[in-house]
Amino acid sequence: MRRTTTRFVLTVTVAVLAAAKVVAQQASSAESENSQSNAGGEETVVKQVVDGIMQPYLAQATRMGGGHRWSRSPDLGAIVAVSLHGHRYFFPYGKATNSGAAFTRETIVEIGSCTKTFTTTLFALAINRNQIMPDAPAQRYMPNGYTLRAQQLTPRELADFTSGMPDDPTNLPRMLERRSIEYYTVRDFLTWASNYQPRTRLPAPYKYSNAGIGLLSYLVATATGKTWEEQVNSEILQPLGMADTTLRTTPEQQRRLAQGHNRAGQNAPRWPVYAWYAAGGLRSTAHDMISFGEAYLGHQEVNSKPVPDQLTAAMQLAQKPIFTMPNGNKQAMAWVNNMRGGSPVILKNGGTAGFGTGIAICPNKDAAIFIGMNQAGAQPIAKGVEILQHLP
């Protein structure tokens, strides 16, 4: 990430030529749109950077990551959305569906754990409104009828992954579809969370936890008197004009869903709505997610709508570093501040059984990026960071 621009361009050029046959359909179908009239020079530069990084990456047939082998689906596709100085650009690659439909900025993907940033935004709103105290006992905000064994647990520890909670509830059914909220209910989840007992003194060392963010959402709901879905819609989606971000898709939206694939490149089932859906249940589009990114950059207006001051303040709080992790990055509320490279990048990745996603912002460059790929284990966030760091 610290290479000179010249060396970067030479390296990418060789890789692109080698992968030309594989990504021909990607290059030929690439569309680029900007939300405002803008000189073509910036668009050309952005396209060169994005293509130079994404095309070789998407051409990889296999790779290893996290101890897992990843094999490229023949129907692999991606959508990259970039906002630079308020101008938006969209770059589609490959296929959104097995029938050959192209990715567009309106294609709906499962954003997985990028959902967590919506939850911590709501948490930050509640903090700023004095509805919830981040360092008070979490028990104060538990839904009626539930008592935490972990009396020392705080909401902030759930938001920054120092609660010690495991990634997911430990009593889940084995089959994915049996984990949906219809089978493993909210009551099942809250009963499990109530019985959670940390193995160490809190705050515990960093440990990523879907369950922790899921529990946090119920605390915020109790503190505010509104459900998570109600708050996401009224506090984030409606003010930012994000009409295609949802927990449950409509019949019309289902026609725009991309087909996901597992690590082996085979069709993946749709991601269930879990009882801890606030950690990973949202579906969205590149258009909506880049809108979210622009709001996190502090833009006063998104989609021709003024961003509420309270929402901007909450987003600033949610992305503020809380502690430094062993790798040198700084953990915020779900967000990670990547301190390596020329400019700090604030990011969150996501993944489901069939998708890999990532959203990141670079305030120093007034730039945001969202990448959605229709294959699990793709981990596009690293490419998103690389793209941001190579933008002018």
Side-chain angles (χ1 to χ4, degrees), residues 61-71 262-265 375-376:
T62 60
R63 58 177 175 267
M64 294 294 295
H68 299 281
R69 181 180 177 85
W70 184 91
S71 298
N262 61 23
R263 291 175 181 270
Q375 186 166 357

Side-chain angles (χ1 to χ4, degrees), residues 140-283:
R140 183 182 300 179
Y141 310 105
M142 281 292 286
N144 288 336
Y146 297 93
T147 301
L148 285 174
R149 289 182 63 190
Q151 290 291 312
Q152 70 273 44
L153 181 66
T154 70
R156 190 194 305 273
E157 290 162 351
L158 296 170
D160 67 13
F161 304 120
T162 57
S163 69
M165 271 195 168
D167 196 1
D168 292 316
T170 54
N171 61 345
L172 291 177
R174 294 187 61 181
M175 299 296 293
L176 182 67
E177 58 272 15
R178 299 295 296 184
R179 296 181 178 185
S180 70
I181 197 169
E182 290 83 4
Y183 300 101
Y184 188 90
T185 65
V186 172
R187 180 177 180 178
D188 291 331
F189 173 72
L190 289 175
T191 299
W192 171 85
S194 296
N195 289 313
Y196 164 68
Q197 184 65 44
R199 296 183 179 181
T200 184
R201 183 176 180 179
L202 298 182
Y206 170 88
K207 184 176 184 180
Y208 193 82
S209 176
N210 292 307
I213 297 293
L215 178 58
L216 176 66
S217 72
Y218 290 105
L219 303 184
V220 174
T222 300
T224 61
K226 294 182 180 180
T227 68
W228 181 86
E229 287 187 80
E230 289 173 337
Q231 291 181 76
V232 166
N233 282 312
S234 64
E235 303 284 7
I236 302 175
L237 304 185
Q238 292 178 17
L240 300 183
M242 298 172 62
D244 279 322
T245 302
T246 181
L247 192 62
R248 298 173 179 86
T249 52
T250 66
E252 187 279 326
Q253 289 170 331
Q254 289 177 16
R255 290 192 288 270
R256 289 187 279 128
L257 279 169
Q259 172 61 56
H261 304 91
N262 61 23
R263 291 175 181 270
Q266 301 167 338
N267 286 355
R270 291 183 180 177
W271 201 235
V273 175
Y274 296 146
W276 59 105
Y277 47 74
L282 286 176
R283 280 78 169 160

Side-chain angles (χ1 to χ4, degrees), residues 21-361:
K21 289 186 178 180
V22 180
V23 300
Q25 62 171 344
Q26 301 166 347
S28 63
S29 66
E31 70 177 18
S32 176
E33 306 174 35
N34 48 337
S35 61
Q36 307 173 29
S37 59
N38 178 43
E42 182 179 86
E43 179 178 3
T44 299
V45 171
V46 174
K47 186 178 189 305
Q48 181 182 19
V49 172
V50 174
D51 281 350
I53 291 171
M54 291 300 297
Q55 287 180 346
Y57 178 66
L58 291 167
Q60 295 176 359
T62 60
R63 58 177 175 267
M64 294 294 295
H68 299 281
R69 181 180 177 85
W70 184 91
S71 298
R72 184 187 190 278
S73 167
D75 299 305
L76 175 67
I79 182 69
V80 179
V82 175
S83 174
L84 183 62
H85 311 308
H87 302 130
R88 296 180 183 178
Y89 308 98
F90 299 89
F91 305 95
Y93 302 89
K95 304 176 184 178
T97 66
N98 297 356
S99 61
F103 262 100
T104 74
R105 64 180 187 171
E106 309 298 342
T107 301
I108 294 177
V109 298
E110 299 168 354
I111 67 170
S113 286
C114 292
T115 305
K116 291 179 173 65
T117 59
F118 291 77
T119 302
T120 55
T121 301
L122 298 179
F123 176 46
L125 272 168
I127 292 173
N128 287 344
R129 292 169 176 168
N130 296 316
Q131 294 172 312
I132 191 169
M133 302 297 292
D135 297 314
Q139 175 57 44
R140 183 182 300 179
Y141 310 105
M142 281 292 286
N144 288 336
Y146 297 93
T147 301
L148 285 174
R149 289 182 63 190
Q151 290 291 312
Q152 70 273 44
L153 181 66
T154 70
R156 190 194 305 273
E157 290 162 351
L158 296 170
D160 67 13
F161 304 120
T162 57
S163 69
M165 271 195 168
D167 196 1
D168 292 316
T170 54
N171 61 345
L172 291 177
R174 294 187 61 181
M175 299 296 293
L176 182 67
E177 58 272 15
R178 299 295 296 184
R179 296 181 178 185
S180 70
I181 197 169
E182 290 83 4
Y183 300 101
Y184 188 90
T185 65
V186 172
R187 180 177 180 178
D188 291 331
F189 173 72
L190 289 175
T191 299
W192 171 85
S194 296
N195 289 313
Y196 164 68
Q197 184 65 44
R199 296 183 179 181
T200 184
R201 183 176 180 179
L202 298 182
Y206 170 88
K207 184 176 184 180
Y208 193 82
S209 176
N210 292 307
I213 297 293
L215 178 58
L216 176 66
S217 72
Y218 290 105
L219 303 184
V220 174
T222 300
T224 61
K226 294 182 180 180
T227 68
W228 181 86
E229 287 187 80
E230 289 173 337
Q231 291 181 76
V232 166
N233 282 312
S234 64
E235 303 284 7
I236 302 175
L237 304 185
Q238 292 178 17
L240 300 183
M242 298 172 62
D244 279 322
T245 302
T246 181
L247 192 62
R248 298 173 179 86
T249 52
T250 66
E252 187 279 326
Q253 289 170 331
Q254 289 177 16
R255 290 192 288 270
R256 289 187 279 128
L257 279 169
Q259 172 61 56
H261 304 91
N262 61 23
R263 291 175 181 270
Q266 301 167 338
N267 286 355
R270 291 183 180 177
W271 201 235
V273 175
Y274 296 146
W276 59 105
Y277 47 74
L282 286 176
R283 280 78 169 160
S284 190
T285 64
H287 171 272
D288 276 12
M289 291 303 292
I290 206 64
S291 302
F292 189 62
E294 287 178 348
Y296 254 93
L297 284 170
H299 287 199
Q300 294 182 345
E301 187 175 279
V302 172
N303 291 325
S304 300
K305 302 178 71 171
V307 180
D309 291 340
Q310 288 190 354
L311 180 56
T312 299
M315 289 177 164
Q316 291 172 346
L317 176 59
Q319 64 183 279
K320 184 179 180 180
I322 298 173
F323 63 89
T324 301
M325 295 188 288
N327 63 5
N329 289 336
K330 297 181 184 294
Q331 182 66 48
M333 295 179 184
W335 293 94
V336 172
N337 287 245
N338 185 326
M339 310 306 295
R340 293 168 286 186
S343 298
V345 173
I346 302 166
L347 60 95
K348 186 69 189 78
N349 66 324
T352 66
F355 291 84
T357 59
I359 184 171
I361 63 171

